[in-house]
């Protein structure tokens, strides 16, 4: 339980209304009760404000006019809310030490204040840093590093030569450092190309559940600092992802592609191998990037959703598009 | 071994031909032998009927005319087959009790007749219901519930605040309750938004292998009863999926989208966040839903498959489509 | 450390320059130093050759003209490099025997020279062949076979009735043999159709991290020999994939589809169920195959990437395409 005025002081916000209002949790604008704090960031939800029972609402100054209960004024209400909500997050306790069921190679090093849960195996020469948490069922192979303050939530696999920076969080089922898909066709059969590199993950990165990041063929696959990967993302060998880039669920990057800083890759989007995307590029959901992008901006591919009957009719015409274009008269040669 | 007449009696079917025919297993129409039962549901396979060696065939009355061996007449042969096949399914035995290798928190409760396999960890305050099965390598975090008769096949992770109803089946590698992808950009760096909600899964749901369902940001992510998710599906935080909806492999729903009841979402299809799909909507494979759907029916996006040379020619013209349309004369402003 | 001349002799290559040059590792053309061997296969990288510090470069004869340092001449430099690089791959040692933490059913059989790591469970009647490696955290259910020389890297699940041939490699998080997505709608509720088949995987197959292969409904799901699956691929029940076919990450094949030999399926591509693809078909990334393909060749669907503003304009016109086509004059009825 904390007073609105205390929250204002702690997070450098301005309080309007009754600073004595007590907050014992957070809620949505529509669902919060008098003891809860909510936020208004998206103007779309402004209409919910009047009916909200929230005891305190974090909002922009412009939205506060006429609001009669307690408000905390923030330039960025969503970020302010994120900081406040941390106070109400139940955080599981991770006692330092190695669970007796776990199997740690004699040449590995685990910091005394790190937590290693049950059913964990740690391979040769690997190191678990200070304050790190390795949850139940994780497998850490040879020559890996889990940086200080990093957390492998549960059932994470670091196959080999995976180096995580500090404060990296990896969600369950993620697999880092598996052998990349390197194949040479030889006399009618596939030959495996050894994957000798590793994976390097910068400080403050987050890697979602069941995401996979292959190790490099010769050099490393690299995530720079503060990269955020959602669930079920596939990162091929030797990819490099720039700092502060975020990728939504089910997107994928094929081998040796380089993605810039501060990019946003939409859900289910794909990036073909061996190309480059510059900084500050947005790729919308389920688009496919097939050549390098050299200008910041938003990019898309695909067609709009239609009722199936209309879609069939129009999609069939796509097969004739070149002919239609030529009939329609001079529109150039297929390049804008 | 069971007689055709007994099957008819047990499943309320009509027997044609020799009710004494003995069935000791099931097979496909093409592959079944005289001791096996097959079914004919899809008219496409009707031509296989004459050549089939199956001892008994489950079929519609209309297909039975002229069939000279033993038939079981059903209004819905596929459903009837499903019920019969259960008799021949080898079901692994799950003895009640907790495997000695498993680690169960002192505050957790496991029903005496539940099965907890090897290498399982169960967190604080979690409960495993009567007759439930928790297979090898599962990780159950804090404050989770596995309802009566539910089964976590193996290596399932319930991160935290995941509540499963009764008779829910979760396949290996699925991760429920991981922190949703909640990020706020703050002074050039990403800030994590605490994910305080949980996941609620209704009775009789099925969740496929390596599928991920994130926990809610403030309120819960919800699957109503009898929702069926195939493998490698991604469900974002605060999504709600209506009862009896089925989603095929690799489909994905972004945060806060609401999907109705009795929907069918095709393989690899995507649903953008913060929108609503009404009941009884079919979305075809690899289509992307970018705005709310308010009418039941079938919806699609994408273009037809072509040989690559034709595709390149036509796809290049897609970049000129607006110009082509204007050349072609008045067809409206891009909205049907 | 090995001499260039020894590599030439061992791998049947021709040495140009100083055969005494010593190689102690491999590198990229751009990154290798004097003690390292690099390769030049893709003409795109030819310009890097002059500036490379690599001690030895594997290349085609045509590229060697004017090269002044040591070259190894190969008809296929990439395949030759793959063979050489194996010499420099750190291979983890897997001592024979079963880790004491593992739980092996009394009716299972593990070859004396096989390795079973920690936290592994092996079910009834399953067999682990000679020289096989079962890494940490794997779950092997009932009636499975891991063929001689095969490797389950870590945290692999074989649910039931999964038979792997020899020298099969399965990467972490893969799930083979889960119950396929077989459902019948019955009186407004889904009914599970028992999945009685298994999975058969031929010799020399590779299965990527977090890939899922469902077991067959009645007969088996089959991968013929030397099939190569990348990460996060979904294979539905009763699919058959021909020998030497390779599928890139995040691609998916729905139930009962048959794919031929020597096919290449691009990343994120989808194949609808119950159809056939002949031998030697290439499907480009994120394309959807909706009907059978009977001619070898390359196939595609989708639209090119554009800046979002242009895309919106053109994509809106896709909804009018049939009308545009009719305006533009006679181009046929939507079929090429």
């Amino acid at each position: 339980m904390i007073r609105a005025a205390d929250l204002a002081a702690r997070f450098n916000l301005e309080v309007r209304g009754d600073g004595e209002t007590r907050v014992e949790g957070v809620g949505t604008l529509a669902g919060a009760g008098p003891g809860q704090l909510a936020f208004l960031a998206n103007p779309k939800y402004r209409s919910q404000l009047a009916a909200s029972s929230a005891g305190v609402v974090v909002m922009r100054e412009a939205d506060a006019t006429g609001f009669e209960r307690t408000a905390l004024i923030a330039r960025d209400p969503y970020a302010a809310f994120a900081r406040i909500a941390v106070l109400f997050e139940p955080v599981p306790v991770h006692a330092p030490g190695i669970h007796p069921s776990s199997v740690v190679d004699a040449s590995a090093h685990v910091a005394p204040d790190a937590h290693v849960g049950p059913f964990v195996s740690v391979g040769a020469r690997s190191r678990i840093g200070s304050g790190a948490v390795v949850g139940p069922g994780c497998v850490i192979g040879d020559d890996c590093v889990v940086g200080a303050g990093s957390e492998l939530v549960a059932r994470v696999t670091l196959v080999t030569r995976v180096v995580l920076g500090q404060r990296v969080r990896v969600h369950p089922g993620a697999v880092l450092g598996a052998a990349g898909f390197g194949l040479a066709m030889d006399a009618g059969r596939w030959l495996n190309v050894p994957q000798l590199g590793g994976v390097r993950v910068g400080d403050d990165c987050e890697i979602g559940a069941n995401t996979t990041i292959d190790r490099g063929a010769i050099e490393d696959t690299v995530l720079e600092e503060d990269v955020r990967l959602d669930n079920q993302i596939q990162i091929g060998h030797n990819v490099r992802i720039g700092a502060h880039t975020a990728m939504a669920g089910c997107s994928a990057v094929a081998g040796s592609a380089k993605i810039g800083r501060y990019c946003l890759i939409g859900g289910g989007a794909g990036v073909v191998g061996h190309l480059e995307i510059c900084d500050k590029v947005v790729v919308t959901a389920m688009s496919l990037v097939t050549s390098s992008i050299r200008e910041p901006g938003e990019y898309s591919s695909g067609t709009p959703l239609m009722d199936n009957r209309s879609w069939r009719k129009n999609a069939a015409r796509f097969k004739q598009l070149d002919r239609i274009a030529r009939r329609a008269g001079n529109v150039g040669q297929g390049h804008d």
Side-chain angles (χ1 to χ4, degrees), chain A:
Chain A
M1 186 115 81
I2 185 164
R3 292 182 321 141
D6 295 336
L7 289 172
R10 182 157 178 177
F11 296 105
N12 202 18
L13 307 170
E14 180 195 343
V15 65
R16 299 264 175 101
D18 182 5
E20 294 301 313
T21 312
R22 304 205 167 232
V23 176
E24 55 198 10
V26 299
T28 59
L29 208 47
Q36 290 177 302
L37 173 143
F39 72 101
L40 172 62
N42 188 337
K44 182 176 157 184
Y45 295 109
R46 204 188 182 294
S47 62
Q48 296 182 358
L49 189 59
S52 175
S53 306
V56 178
V57 180
V58 185
M59 62 181 80
R60 287 189 195 81
E61 177 147 34
D63 289 319
T65 316
F67 184 66
E68 304 197 336
R69 271 156 307 116
T70 306
L72 291 171
I73 306 301
R75 203 169 295 176
D76 183 341
Y78 190 45
F81 172 80
R83 290 208 165 80
I84 294 169
V86 168
L87 305 179
F88 301 101
E89 194 177 16
V91 178
V93 179
H94 297 296
I98 301 174
H99 191 277
S101 66
S102 285
V103 175
V104 178
D105 189 274
S107 64
H109 180 260
V110 178
D113 63 344
H115 167 91
V116 175
F119 319 125
V120 170
S121 65
V122 181
R125 296 169 301 278
S126 287
R127 288 178 287 129
I128 315 290
S130 174
V133 170
V134 179
C138 289
V139 174
I140 298 176
D142 297 348
D143 301 300
C144 294
V145 176
V146 178
S150 288
E151 179 179 8
L152 313 185
V153 175
R155 281 184 48 240
V156 168
T157 306
L158 310 183
V159 180
T160 191
R161 298 189 288 280
V162 178
V163 177
L164 307 182
Q166 300 190 21
R167 298 170 305 278
V168 171
R169 186 163 62 150
V170 189
H171 293 281
V175 177
L176 281 68
F181 201 56
L183 297 171
M185 182 48 81
D186 183 61
R189 302 188 69 83
W190 292 111
L191 190 66
N192 274 332
V193 181
Q195 303 291 301
L196 306 167
V199 176
R200 274 184 294 134
V201 174
D203 293 343
D204 301 301
C205 286
E206 179 144 24
I207 294 164
N210 286 350
T211 280
T212 49
I213 305 178
D214 282 347
R215 68 179 188 256
I218 297 177
E219 297 174 342
D220 293 341
T221 303
V222 177
L223 270 62
E224 299 177 358
E225 63 161 343
D226 196 29
V227 168
R228 305 299 178 125
L229 303 185
D230 197 358
N231 298 345
Q232 300 202 37
I233 288 174
Q234 152 68 359
I235 305 293
H237 53 183
N238 297 104
V239 165
R240 184 178 193 100
I241 302 184
H244 316 293
T245 283
M247 296 181 60
C250 306
S251 52
V253 185
S256 301
K258 310 284 177 241
I259 297 184
R261 294 157 55 93
Y262 290 107
C263 291
L264 298 172
I265 309 295
V271 178
V272 160
H274 294 272
L275 55 75
E276 293 190 29
I277 295 179
C278 68
D279 294 352
K280 299 191 179 169
V281 165
V282 176
V283 176
T284 59
M286 289 177 72
S287 296
L288 176 64
V289 181
T290 51
S291 53
S292 291
I293 298 180
R294 304 187 196 287
E295 295 289 327
E298 190 173 356
Y299 294 84
S300 303
S301 68
T303 76
L305 195 80
M306 280 172 273
D307 70 273
N308 183 263
R309 199 159 161 266
S310 305
W311 176 80
R312 282 177 183 277
K313 223 165 47 180
N314 290 306
R317 295 296 191 179
F318 185 82
K319 290 186 162 187
Q320 305 173 319
L321 196 46
D322 184 52
R323 214 182 305 167
I324 293 166
R326 278 189 266 129
R327 285 256 167 202
N330 181 24
V331 288
Q333 285 309 308
H335 297 279
D336 261 350

